[in-house]
Amino acid sequence: MATVRVVIGEKHVKEATAMAASGVAPEGGFHIYSDDRAQGLRLVVQKNRASWVVKYKSWSKTIGWVYPEDNRPLKTATAARDLVPVVKAILDEDVDQLEPFLTARHNGRDNKKALEAMRPVVKTWTLQECADAMIDARTKATSSSPLRKASVDEIRRTLRRDEIKDLIGEPVATMKRGEVEKVRDKIEAAAGISAAKKCVSNIRSILNYCCEYKSGDSGLDHRDMWWELLKTDSKINPRTRTPSLSDIVGTLQLIQHYLHHPLPGRRDGKRGVRANVFAAAWWLILTSQRTSAGLALLRVDFYRDPRDPDFYLAAWDEEAMKGKKTHVLPIPKRAVDHMLPLIEASADEGFESKWAFPSERGSEDTDIHVSRTAVRQLIVRLQGRDPLMKGKAESHDLLAEAGIVHWTPHDLRRSITSVMDDAGIPGGASAVLAHEVKLSDSLGEDALSEAQREEWLATRMAKITKLAYGGGAFLKLKKNAMTVWTDAVLDAWEATQTSKAVDLQAAA
């Protein structure tokens, strides 16, 4: 490493630029020009870069670049010397202010205006820290307003979005409404109105919590609750898609085929559908439950009805349900006989999951169920609209080619309503879909020892059964509705299998 003391001038700047641009590291890794005119100013040359550095007391701070040109350019010794006294004064006052000053200075302001434009360095919580604090507090057993797991997941999904990445590290005390509105608009453009509304709602919740309970840490004050003015001026138009039984079983046929074949255009040779997602698709179709709740089914909460051998019972804690009410659904034996082999085929051989529909990404340490978006994303892949294939020549819309309308799992709720109306059971759909269910007993689950588990399981099954039979007429309505719906789906499915067998015989 060579250090040369000179009055740095144009000649030395050109030499430094040439050395850096050569791509060859100077001997010893550095070549340093130390300025005789401004004490502490250095022009430091390394491989591929040459920078101006102010060495002052215990600090060595880069203030600009000779090379490369697009990174805070500072091309002359005069311009660099002009910054030295200002930089030293800032270091004496508050080292954290140097970066805001340099940002303003390199954005075209002179020293005076750069000093005036500096944003204060705020050491209060960022948006991410505020979210973490709220989630931590509101998921404790002692919380007066606990968050459901689904709500926590929704908040975390919002904060993981690319559109918000530049905002989550910003202190909320200096955040402006306009910044959040720009993020909202980007999310709406990229993911739709619903995602934008969730972003606004989640940010409001986070900031309200910290303003009320963590004002000192967050720097928020009730005198300027600007986030309460955040809104979206777009409305979500009601969806009217109602997939027919033909659309539903046609989609299932495609899914079944790609259990053993790669999807068109995929060159990795992997099968297009996993067994657990196939099972999940069948379950959501037969039960018409919301994806977030329907797939969060514990194995212990799916068992033969002890009072009726023609049915199983499936139950969900209020934590899993949107309406925050425990939901018990009778499953006809015909549907159970269809589902059980699919559930067993999707079980992970590596460990015994507690979930009826375990994720292949789960483990004994992290036991998770199939994602709530897995089936919807599968349908998107069948259409060739996923990021991997969208716009590519080899992409295929398999649904359109099969004459199937696009649909999502949520649309099934309109399908079952239509079938119930046709069958003369207009209240059946509401019973199955957990609309206006008034069960207040949580199923609960405490930490148990192995010795207690058998007794707990028997007690839990008894509680579910009691909840199911708490309203006899209501359960009868559910059973009638589920029988009509599952029979309609399975009849349509079996008709396609019979037709396929006939076609194969004819071909033979």
Side-chain angles (χ1 to χ4, degrees), residues 53-97:
V53 176
V54 173
K55 184 171 177 58
Y56 179 59
K57 295 182 180 178
S58 61
W59 294 292
S60 289
K61 295 293 185 180
T62 299
I63 61 172
W65 299 81
V66 169
Y67 186 89
E69 294 184 2
D70 60 348
N71 196 342
R72 289 191 174 181
L74 204 55
K75 305 303 291 183
T76 68
T78 300
R81 288 190 191 101
D82 184 43
L83 284 174
V84 172
V86 183
V87 169
K88 289 180 178 180
I90 292 172
L91 292 174
D92 282 334
E93 184 68 26
D94 184 355
V95 65
D96 290 336
Q97 294 282 10

Side-chain angles (χ1 to χ4, degrees), residues 63-281:
I63 61 172
W65 299 81
V66 169
Y67 186 89
E69 294 184 2
D70 60 348
N71 196 342
R72 289 191 174 181
L74 204 55
K75 305 303 291 183
T76 68
T78 300
R81 288 190 191 101
D82 184 43
L83 284 174
V84 172
V86 183
V87 169
K88 289 180 178 180
I90 292 172
L91 292 174
D92 282 334
E93 184 68 26
D94 184 355
V95 65
D96 290 336
Q97 294 282 10
L98 180 59
E99 183 61 25
F101 166 76
L102 291 173
T103 298
R105 182 67 175 77
H106 285 284
N107 280 335
R109 296 179 173 91
D110 60 25
N111 288 345
K112 181 179 179 182
K113 289 182 179 178
L115 287 168
E116 292 172 350
M118 284 191 307
R119 273 181 101 169
V121 177
V122 180
K123 298 180 181 179
T124 48
W125 282 352
T126 63
L127 179 59
Q128 183 68 64
E129 288 172 320
C130 284
D132 291 342
M134 183 188 77
I135 290 170
D136 181 62
R138 293 184 60 187
T139 52
K140 290 179 178 176
T142 54
S143 173
S144 61
S145 180
L147 283 172
R148 295 186 302 143
K149 182 180 181 301
S151 299
V152 173
D153 291 344
E154 187 58 59
I155 292 168
R156 287 179 171 152
R157 273 194 296 274
T158 294
L159 298 183
R160 285 197 302 267
R161 300 193 67 90
D162 285 342
E163 297 84 359
I164 204 173
K165 63 183 179 182
D166 293 334
L167 200 62
I168 60 175
E170 183 177 336
V172 294
T174 60
M175 199 174 288
K176 304 297 182 185
R177 189 174 76 186
E179 293 177 290
V180 182
E181 289 173 342
K182 287 180 180 178
V183 168
R184 175 203 64 197
D185 295 344
K186 288 179 181 178
I187 290 176
E188 182 172 331
I193 298 169
S194 179
K197 285 183 177 293
K198 288 174 182 176
C199 170
V200 168
S201 175
N202 288 333
I203 289 176
R204 276 205 307 254
S205 295
I206 292 165
L207 299 186
N208 274 331
Y209 173 83
C210 283
C211 182
E212 185 170 358
Y213 298 106
K214 298 291 181 180
S215 179
D217 291 317
S218 67
L220 298 177
D221 190 275
H222 70 278
R223 288 171 293 186
D224 182 22
M225 297 176 70
W226 54 265
W227 56 90
E228 286 291 347
L229 299 176
L230 287 172
K231 296 179 181 178
T232 56
D233 61 355
S234 301
K235 70 174 184 177
I236 301 174
N237 293 321
R239 292 178 180 173
T240 58
R241 286 192 305 251
T242 306
S244 67
L245 290 171
S246 176
D247 294 325
I248 294 166
V249 299
T251 304
L252 286 169
Q253 283 184 292
L254 285 172
I255 296 173
Q256 185 183 53
H257 175 76
Y258 289 105
L259 276 171
H260 309 290
H261 301 85
L263 287 164
R266 266 65 173 189
R267 298 187 177 90
D268 56 11
K270 295 180 180 178
R271 57 183 178 167
V273 182
R274 298 184 300 274
N276 59 344
V277 178
F278 183 48

Side-chain angles (χ1 to χ4, degrees), residues 18 304 415 439 453:
R304 187 183 300 276
S415 300
L439 297 174
R453 183 161 184 78

